[in-house]
């Protein structure tokens, strides 16, 4: 039994052997990344259930993608040096039976990028409060280019800070102004190295000096090269004293003394109203803009003695303004020295006005007006009876509104002494008018009650032989024109583009015309010839010839016109109606680009009937 047991134990079956681990990767050769980096996928083949991957460098990231592959990723290497070699180790199995494969990974350094030379070199020097010297050296000595200096505030406000956009608009305008792009480039473009001294810049302000290449079509063909800079503050190293020796109702005598007798400066006078409220910078810019080239002519040195020129208005505040000036630009801040003219001989409430009306025709009159005090300052004009009846209860407000309509010119519109005006071919026939007059203060307000003259009446109209005719020519579909030029005709999409030609006979001295959209509730056919004629004279186009209009489809429009003869009488009223349909539009192949301005937008403009309102007759008479 014992032997048998031993034999049985010696015959026990052995356990099966485990297969050795296998491991391979594809590709197995070393990986080389460029400086831009990237990701590579590596396939893994093994007989093991699990495997793992590890990189010994942080720049090289290795991670399993799935059961049979992993990825190797390199980021961007911005350094010109190669990254240190990375070893990516893949291991299958565990313990003594583990199998390992190592993959070497490299990454090259970034190539040194040599910056591209800009198309222009800009050098700025001698930056002052109002000027700068600019030198431009183009890379292409034979290429056309434009250079300039612009205030940054202007560039931002009008061009969105975009010099390219500004140049596009500027060259389009230049082409129109010079007649062709070739002429525009001949006058504006430069070639080769250039130097220029810019003057009359705003002090203490941001500016941009720039240069851009221009093609034969006027388009910008290079990058914009710009150089920002800031002008300096104006100096007050030189001071001024002003001594007033005499004052009059129409001015003053004064002496200007600078602290440096050799220092050039400019002196002028402005009304305190609307000028004294400006900042020094605003005031200086306004005076320079208004007086322009005269400043160079009248700038002086040393002591300046001003003798009254008898041109200033009574009882009005003024400013003597003084500032340094040289080389076409201000060199100091502006200095203000106020004075006031004397009061009139009598109070405004006591001033009376004598009015004489002569030369009456159906549309013209000559008016002379004489104030009772030659030192009083006043304004005057006509008022038609229809307006007077509406406003006679508050003529002060009427005059206040009248003055406010041109308040910027208050100092020129007020007058003193005998006045007069010829109202030629612009009054209404058979119409009653009055002359109003009022003393006006330095702020544009009536200083006393408004004086209204006795009425006078123009002669009734006698139908003249003067005549105007019109032809409605071809009209085109605005959509077709938009297809030809989407920028120029963008606003005319869905509209009719209509050509109207006006002509007058030999008896016509002047004529007026317009086109209106008919209002079915108030058609022009229901309006008298007299009202249409007077409305045309007041607001129609003066002496039109060829006119262009945008009109709505399938809406009725009427061309209106009237001519005035040498006797001031009007001829028959022209009425020419038409409805524009797409079917009646001429083919775009027959369209000829007009040489005149763009079409007027009258598609929603009906005939405007008379409305009582403040009217300026004298301004119209002086045009």
């Amino acid at each position: 039994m014992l032997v048998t047991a031993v034999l049985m134990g010696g015959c026990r079956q052995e356990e099966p052997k485990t297969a050795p681990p296998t491991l391979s990767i594809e590709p197995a050769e070393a990986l080389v990344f460029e400086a831009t980096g990237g990701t590579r996928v590596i396939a893994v083949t093994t007989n093991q259930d699990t495997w793992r991957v590890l990189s010994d460098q942080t720049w090289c990231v290795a991670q399993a993608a799935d059961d049979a592959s992993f990825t190797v990723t390199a980021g961007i290497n911005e350094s010109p040096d190669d990254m240190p070699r990375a070893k990516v180790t893949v291991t299958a199995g565990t313990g003594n039976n583990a199998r390992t494969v190592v993959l070497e990974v490299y990454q090259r350094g970034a190539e040194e990028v040599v910056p591209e030379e800009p198309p222009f070199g800009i050098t700025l020097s001698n930056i002052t409060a109002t000027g700068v010297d600019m030198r431009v050296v183009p890379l292409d000595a034979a290429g056309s280019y434009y250079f300039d200096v612009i205030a940054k505030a202007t560039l931002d406000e009008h061009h969105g800070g975009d010099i390219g956009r500004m140049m596009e608009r500027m060259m389009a305008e230049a082409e129109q102004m010079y007649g062709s792009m070739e002429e525009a480039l001949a006058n504006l473009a430069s070639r080769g190295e250039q130097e220029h001294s810019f003057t009359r810049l705003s002090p203490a302000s941001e500016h941009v000096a720039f240069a851009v290449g221009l093609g034969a079509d006027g388009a910008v063909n290079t990058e914009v090269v710009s150089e920002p800079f800031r002008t300096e503050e104006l100096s007050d190293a030189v001071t001024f004293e002003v001594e007033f020796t005499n004052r009059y109702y129409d001015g003053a005598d004064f002496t200007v003394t600078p602290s440096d007798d050799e220092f050039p400066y400019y002196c002028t006078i402005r009304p305190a109203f609307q000028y004294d409220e400006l900042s020094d910078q605003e005031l200086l810019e306004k005076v320079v803009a208004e007086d322009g080239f005269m400043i160079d002519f009248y700038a002086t040195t040393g002591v300046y003695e001003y003798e009254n020129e008898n041109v200033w208005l009574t009882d009005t505040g003024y400013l003597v303004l003084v500032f340094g000036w040289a080389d076409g630009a201000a060199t100091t801040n502006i200095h203000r020295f106020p004075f006031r003219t004397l009061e009139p001989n009598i109070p405004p409430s006591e001033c009376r006005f004598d009015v004489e009306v002569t030369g009456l025709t159906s549309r013209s009159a000559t008016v002379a007006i004489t104030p009772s005090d030659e030192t009083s300052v006043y304004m005057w004009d006509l008022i038609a009876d229809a307006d007077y009846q509406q406003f006679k209860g508050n003529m002060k407000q009427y005059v206040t509104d009248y003055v406010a309509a041109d308040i910027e010119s208050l100092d020129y519109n007020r007058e003193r002494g005998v006045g007069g005006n010829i109202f030629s071919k612009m009054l209404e026939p058979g119409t009653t008018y009055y002359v109003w007059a009022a003393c006006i203060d330095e702020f544009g307000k009536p200083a006393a009650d408004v004086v209204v003259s006795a009425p006078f009446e123009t002669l009734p109209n006698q139908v003249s032989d003067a005549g105007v005719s019109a032809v409605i020519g071809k009209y085109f579909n605005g959509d077709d024109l938009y297809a030809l030029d989407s920028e120029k005709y963008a606003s005319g999409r869905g509209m009719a583009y209509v050509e109207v030609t006006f002509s007058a006979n030999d008896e016509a001295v002047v004529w007026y015309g317009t086109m209106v959209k008919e209002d079915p509730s108030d058609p022009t056919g229901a309006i008298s010839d007299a009202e249409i004629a007077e409305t045309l004279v007041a607001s129609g186009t003066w002496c039109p010839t060829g006119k262009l209009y945008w009109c709505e489809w399938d809406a009725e429009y009427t061309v209106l016109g009237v001519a005035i003869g040498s006797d001031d009488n009007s001829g028959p009223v022209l009425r020419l109606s038409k409805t524009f349909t797409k079917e009646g539009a001429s083919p775009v192949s027959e369209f000829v680009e007009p040489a005149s301005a763009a079409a007027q937008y009258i598609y929603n403009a009906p005939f405007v009937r008379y409305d009582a309102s403040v009217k300026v007759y004298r301004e119209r008479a002086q045009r």
Side-chain angles (χ1 to χ4, degrees):
M1 292 296 292
L2 179 61
V3 172
T4 303
V6 169
L7 289 174
M8 289 179 65
C11 294
R12 186 174 59 188
Q13 186 176 1
E14 295 183 358
E15 295 181 1
K17 293 183 178 180
T18 301
T22 61
L23 175 64
S24 64
I25 59 176
E26 179 62 35
E29 299 82 10
L31 300 181
V32 180
F33 288 98
E34 298 298 328
T36 54
T39 297
R40 297 286 299 276
V41 177
I42 310 299
V44 178
T45 302
T46 182
N47 62 354
Q48 299 299 300
D49 293 336
T50 61
W51 54 273
R52 57 190 179 278
V53 61
L54 180 67
S55 170
D56 68 346
Q57 295 291 335
T58 57
W59 67 264
C60 176
V61 178
Q63 58 185 10
D66 52 36
D67 292 343
S69 65
F70 66 91
T71 58
V72 178
T73 300
I76 298 175
N77 181 13
E78 297 179 350
S79 168
D81 300 326
D82 293 347
M83 299 299 290
R85 180 188 62 179
K87 289 184 178 181
V88 175
T89 302
V90 184
T91 304
T94 58
N96 294 331
N97 290 326
R99 180 69 186 271
T100 298
V101 175
V102 176
L103 175 68
E104 293 185 348
V105 184
Y106 301 87
Q107 186 176 22
R108 295 190 174 100
E111 293 184 9
E112 186 175 357
V113 178
V114 179
E116 187 175 325
E117 190 173 356
F120 305 97
I122 295 177
T123 304
L124 303 179
S125 59
N126 298 325
I127 299 174
T128 66
T130 57
V132 65
D133 292 341
M134 180 177 180
R135 179 171 177 261
V136 183
V137 180
L139 192 61
D140 177 9
S144 295
Y145 68 96
Y146 179 81
F147 71 100
D148 207 344
V149 167
I150 185 172
K152 186 177 184 301
T154 302
L155 181 64
D156 292 343
E157 179 181 357
H158 297 289
H159 309 288
D162 189 335
I163 293 175
R165 183 192 304 174
M166 181 193 73
M167 289 301 303
E168 181 180 353
R169 295 172 179 171
M170 189 190 86
M171 294 310 296
E173 293 173 0
E175 183 178 20
Q176 290 186 344
M177 182 173 68
Y178 290 105
S180 69
M181 186 57 71
E182 183 179 2
E183 283 298 311
L185 290 170
N187 283 275
L188 298 176
S190 300
R191 284 188 173 88
E193 183 177 325
Q194 298 288 333
E195 292 184 3
H196 186 77
S197 295
F198 291 92
T199 60
R200 303 197 179 195
L201 305 182
S202 296
S205 302
E206 302 295 333
H207 291 76
V208 178
F210 68 91
V212 294
L214 295 174
D217 59 354
V220 174
N221 61 4
T222 69
E223 68 173 285
V224 176
V225 178
S226 62
E227 188 71 32
F229 68 97
R230 181 180 177 84
T231 50
E232 297 179 352
E233 301 277 350
L234 283 171
S235 170
D236 278 326
V238 175
T239 59
F240 303 92
E241 293 182 0
V242 173
E243 180 183 1
F244 295 94
T245 52
N246 295 293
R247 290 190 305 122
Y248 313 93
Y249 72 87
D250 57 2
D253 300 329
F254 60 84
T255 301
V256 180
T257 304
S259 60
D260 181 351
D261 285 344
E262 302 298 321
F263 189 79
Y265 64 93
Y266 179 67
C267 174
T268 188
I269 300 175
R270 290 293 191 277
F273 177 59
Q274 294 187 316
Y275 282 85
D276 206 20
E277 65 190 31
L278 300 175
S279 68
D280 285 352
Q281 182 62 38
E282 292 170 336
L283 181 59
L284 180 61
E285 291 177 355
K286 186 174 179 65
V287 171
V288 170
E290 290 174 345
D291 290 8
F293 70 90
M294 293 193 304
I295 302 179
D296 290 321
F297 184 79
Y298 286 106
T300 187
T301 58
V303 175
Y304 170 63
E305 295 183 357
Y306 175 84
E307 293 185 0
N308 184 30
E309 297 175 287
N310 310 112
V311 296
W312 309 109
L313 297 174
T314 310
D315 194 20
T316 299
Y318 286 97
L319 301 171
V320 173
L321 304 174
V322 187
F323 54 90
W325 186 265
D327 299 323
T331 56
T332 69
N333 285 308
I334 194 165
H335 300 267
R336 315 173 194 222
F337 301 92
F339 74 95
R340 188 172 192 85
T341 53
L342 301 181
E343 295 180 356
N345 293 334
I346 63 174
S349 59
E350 297 180 10
C351 188
R352 298 293 178 261
F353 299 91
D354 291 330
V355 175
E356 182 181 10
V357 180
T358 59
L360 274 172
T361 69
S362 60
R363 296 182 179 276
S364 300
T366 299
V367 177
I369 183 167
T370 305
S372 59
D373 172 32
E374 66 178 4
T375 67
S376 294
V377 177
Y378 66 98
M379 291 177 64
W380 69 277
D381 205 338
L382 305 182
I383 182 170
D385 183 65
D387 294 320
Y388 181 59
Q389 296 305 320
Q390 178 74 21
F391 296 103
K392 65 181 180 180
N394 193 357
M395 283 300 292
K396 272 193 174 182
Q397 186 60 53
Y398 178 93
V399 172
T400 299
D401 294 342
Y402 176 99
V403 175
D406 191 22
I407 195 68
E408 294 292 332
S409 303
L410 175 62
D411 212 48
Y412 300 97
N413 292 336
R414 294 196 298 160
E415 58 188 289
R416 183 176 50 228
V418 176
N421 198 82
I422 299 175
F423 299 91
S424 178
K425 295 180 174 57
M426 42 82 63
L427 303 180
E428 297 183 19
T431 301
T432 298
Y433 291 91
Y434 303 84
V435 175
W436 63 260
C439 290
I440 303 295
D441 67 19
E442 62 189 306
F443 307 110
K445 305 297 183 184
D449 291 338
V450 179
V451 176
V452 179
S453 74
F456 68 91
E457 186 174 348
T458 53
L459 300 179
N461 185 67
Q462 303 294 326
V463 178
S464 169
D465 291 332
V468 60
S469 59
V471 175
I472 299 177
K474 295 178 180 179
Y475 61 94
F476 299 89
N477 192 323
D479 292 342
D480 294 337
L481 301 185
Y482 175 80
L484 291 179
D485 191 326
S486 59
E487 182 175 350
K488 182 177 295 186
Y489 300 108
S491 300
R493 300 178 71 181
M495 311 292 290
Y497 183 89
V498 181
E499 301 174 355
V500 179
T501 302
F502 293 87
S503 59
N505 62 18
D506 293 340
E507 284 71 29
V509 175
V510 66
W511 63 97
Y512 304 88
T514 191
M515 176 187 272
V516 298
K517 180 185 176 183
E518 288 291 355
D519 180 357
S521 64
D522 188 19
T524 57
I527 303 174
S528 69
D529 282 0
E531 184 173 350
I532 286 181
E534 300 320 314
T535 302
L536 287 171
V537 171
S539 59
T541 302
W542 181 82
C543 293
T545 52
K547 298 294 293 182
L548 305 170
Y549 301 100
W550 289 115
C551 300
E552 292 179 349
W553 293 116
D554 302 316
E556 184 181 6
Y557 287 81
T558 298
V559 176
L560 300 171
V562 69
I564 309 297
S566 59
D567 59 357
D568 281 1
N569 289 315
S570 60
V573 169
L574 165 70
R575 301 171 186 259
L576 181 62
S577 297
K578 190 176 182 68
T579 299
F580 303 101
T581 64
K582 290 184 178 181
E583 294 74 19
S586 297
V588 72
S589 59
E590 298 178 7
F591 177 71
V592 177
E593 183 78 21
S596 59
Q600 297 181 28
Y601 295 89
I602 54 88
Y603 53 86
N604 60 352
F607 184 81
V608 178
R609 284 180 173 269
Y610 183 89
D611 180 35
S613 60
V614 175
K615 295 181 175 64
V616 182
Y617 291 89
R618 296 189 62 196
E619 181 183 63
R620 290 167 51 193
Q622 295 169 355
R623 285 177 183 172

